[in-house]
Amino acid sequence: MGRAKKAVLAYSGGVDTSVCIPYLMQEWGVEEVITFAADLGQGDELEPIRQKALDSGASQSIVGDLIEPFITEFAFPAIRANALYEGRYPLSTALARPLIARRLVEIAREVGADAVAHGCTGKGNDQVRFDVAIGALAPDLKVLTPAREWGMSREETIAYGERCGIPSPVSKKSPYSIDLNLLGRSIEAGPLEDPNVEPPEEIYAMTVSVDAAPAAPQIVEIGFEQGNPVSLDGVRLDPVSLIRQANALAGGHGFGRLDMVENRVVGIKSREIYETPGLLLLIKAHQELESLTLAADVLRTKRQLEQQWADLVYQGLWYGPLKEALDGFIERTQQSVNGSVRIKLHKGNATVVGRSSATNSLYVPTMATYDAGDQFDHRAAEGFIYVWGLPTRLWAASRRR
Ligand code: ARG
């Protein structure tokens, strides 16, 4: 692989990605580095980040608002899939990576770059997600990963940056490694590396503590159309506003924190703290509406496939064939997921208290009721059970012999 001339670098404004700029040029002979910083609703001010890339030696610094596609093309499919990695983590970070990769590739085409670059280390999942996505979307582009190869400690990285005129972080360095976007925050490192240590309250920003949550419960009604959340308490909202409000509502009641030990793609177990209030609330409501509107066999099959969907997104296979095939199944099931779910938020809990669907409910009162309106043929059960239990009775009889 020859030298790259022009590289588009995924840029966050942090020390590592800033040092990537001079490093790529001085050590690897890249002639021009163009940075791209994505707005994913993380709430950072992007103008200082744009300027910092130029100050660090970038020839061009691009910032792009990806919030809308992030929600409609990545978060909503995850809600329809009830995607929870290892049964818990709703993939708030993982979902952003294939979108950033897609935009990096588009920019590379626009500026005529022959490489893309990112500042991920060799231990994480994000490198896997970026590299696999870029390889699928643009096999001709080189992928440059300086932080995976430079072998510098944090102090050495800062010193390298200072020699290149990159100011070292001014604020007292937080011991935590944080990734954030509109869907949530992930917090790692520092004292959290001991999986037996309780996370300090200071790490949270999107959720209040159970102590600080209001004493009074609040019920929210979430409306869905074809598996997509479309309204809160009867008010129709665009996808981005809906996520913002769901975050504020759930987070304000202390719901949406996770503390888990998860299995990374590279084989490491890591202790992760997440706060993803809106996404967890919406997945919970969506699952509930499916219990009312999907047939039993479809529901059970979907629950199995959902785990595979979550696994493959976590593992960086967003642009792969299984994702496409599973999406086909999921999309077909979602045609009947219309209706609403009421959830009571109270002191860190989100409890489903009601579900309804005017058009697609498979709950039939005359079948379910124990009252006078009962239309279920009780005598039909006898013949059914005779046949259903036959193999068990035959097997049990043979064992008695
Ligand atoms: N463990 C989570 C994931 O793989 C969070 C990763 C956070 N990324 C980061 N660069 N801090 O999705």
Side-chain angles (χ1 to χ4, degrees):
M1 183 156 80
R3 281 191 165 180
K5 280 179 148 39
K6 203 191 249 200
V8 180
L9 168 69
Y11 188 69
S12 70
V15 180
D16 290 288
T17 53
S18 295
V19 169
C20 282
I21 301 169
Y23 192 92
L24 283 168
M25 299 197 291
Q26 289 169 18
E27 315 296 326
W28 291 3
V30 177
E31 289 163 24
E32 211 185 310
V33 176
I34 292 149
T35 57
F36 171 64
D39 187 353
L40 294 162
Q42 63 270 44
D44 288 342
E45 255 206 86
L46 287 167
E47 179 47 32
I49 292 175
R50 199 190 68 80
Q51 188 57 45
K52 184 165 183 193
L54 297 173
D55 296 345
S56 305
S59 66
Q60 195 184 338
S61 176
I62 302 171
V63 297
D65 181 347
L66 299 181
I67 300 178
E68 153 85 22
F70 183 43
I71 300 307
T72 57
E73 295 179 54
F74 293 83
F76 277 23
I79 293 168
R80 296 196 294 267
N82 300 314
L84 298 171
Y85 180 64
E86 296 184 337
R88 301 168 77 186
Y89 163 46
L91 302 169
S92 45
T93 293
L95 289 164
R97 299 303 180 253
L99 173 59
I100 297 170
R102 186 175 87 189
R103 191 68 195 119
L104 285 174
V105 167
E106 286 167 2
I107 293 170
R109 297 310 186 207
E110 287 159 21
V111 302
D114 57 343
V116 293
H118 62 72
C120 300
T121 70
K123 285 174 72 167
N125 297 317
D126 290 328
Q127 55 162 350
V128 180
R129 297 166 185 152
F130 280 130
D131 290 10
V132 174
I134 294 159
L137 297 173
D140 57 303
L141 291 179
K142 299 182 185 79
V143 184
L144 308 178
T145 58
R148 200 153 65 190
E149 292 168 54
W150 62 33
M152 293 190 283
S153 68
R154 173 122 197 125
E155 292 69 33
E156 288 163 346
T157 310
I158 291 171
Y160 188 102
E162 279 175 342
R163 286 198 298 279
C164 304
I166 295 169
S168 56
V170 276
S171 56
K172 174 174 66 76
K173 173 72 178 124
S174 136
Y176 306 110
S177 163
I178 297 170
D179 181 72
L180 73 158
N181 58 50
L182 189 57
L183 297 182
R185 295 172 76 245
S186 92
I187 309 111
E188 292 165 76
L192 302 174
E193 281 181 359
D194 181 347
N196 205 24
V197 163
E198 184 180 0
E201 188 57 34
E202 65 183 23
I203 67 170
Y204 297 105
M206 294 175 80
T207 55
V208 302
S209 68
V210 168
D211 283 344
Q218 181 178 2
I219 290 178
V220 56
E221 180 171 302
I222 303 163
F224 289 88
E225 286 176 5
Q226 307 208 338
N228 296 311
V230 295
S231 65
L232 293 180
D233 289 331
V235 180
R236 272 193 96 84
L237 294 166
D238 67 87
V240 174
S241 304
L242 191 139
I243 295 281
R244 285 191 199 283
Q245 288 197 24
N247 277 336
L249 263 171
H253 284 275
F255 174 76
R257 294 182 179 181
L258 282 174
D259 175 349
M260 66 188 282
V261 174
E262 77 185 27
N263 293 287
R264 287 194 192 162
V265 186
V266 294
I268 300 170
K269 280 191 190 295
S270 71
R271 198 279 183 90
E272 308 268 342
I273 309 296
Y274 299 103
E275 43 180 357
T276 56
L279 192 54
L280 281 176
L281 179 75
L282 294 169
I283 288 175
K284 186 165 209 164
H286 178 265
Q287 280 174 337
E288 188 64 29
L289 187 57
E290 286 189 330
S291 72
L292 189 69
T293 57
L294 293 186
D297 53 358
V298 174
L299 185 84
R300 282 171 201 178
T301 302
K302 184 167 183 285
R303 291 292 176 265
Q304 290 169 19
L305 298 180
E306 285 168 356
Q307 285 184 27
Q308 297 197 38
W309 198 95
D311 280 354
L312 75 84
V313 171
Y314 185 89
Q315 293 162 353
L317 305 178
W318 182 272
Y319 295 108
L322 181 58
K323 164 74 168 41
E324 202 171 286
L326 292 181
D327 279 346
F329 174 86
I330 293 171
E331 289 318 308
R332 182 61 186 82
T333 65
Q334 296 305 287
Q335 289 177 11
S336 41
V337 184
N338 303 294
S340 63
V341 175
R342 279 182 303 122
I343 293 191
K344 183 191 282 185
L345 292 161
H346 189 221
K347 288 286 185 191
N349 292 305
T351 311
V352 174
V353 294
R355 69 292 276 158
S356 72
S357 171
T359 50
N360 299 90
S361 175
L362 299 175
Y363 181 90
V364 179
T366 53
M367 288 290 125
T369 187
Y370 291 98
D371 293 344
D374 183 7
Q375 289 179 13
F376 184 83
D377 181 354
H378 289 243
R379 283 164 310 165
E382 187 183 341
F384 164 72
I385 296 166
Y386 172 81
V387 175
W388 174 250
L390 184 59
T392 301
R393 294 198 306 278
L394 294 177
W395 174 82
S398 83
R399 201 161 80 158
R400 273 194 300 275
R401 276 197 295 275

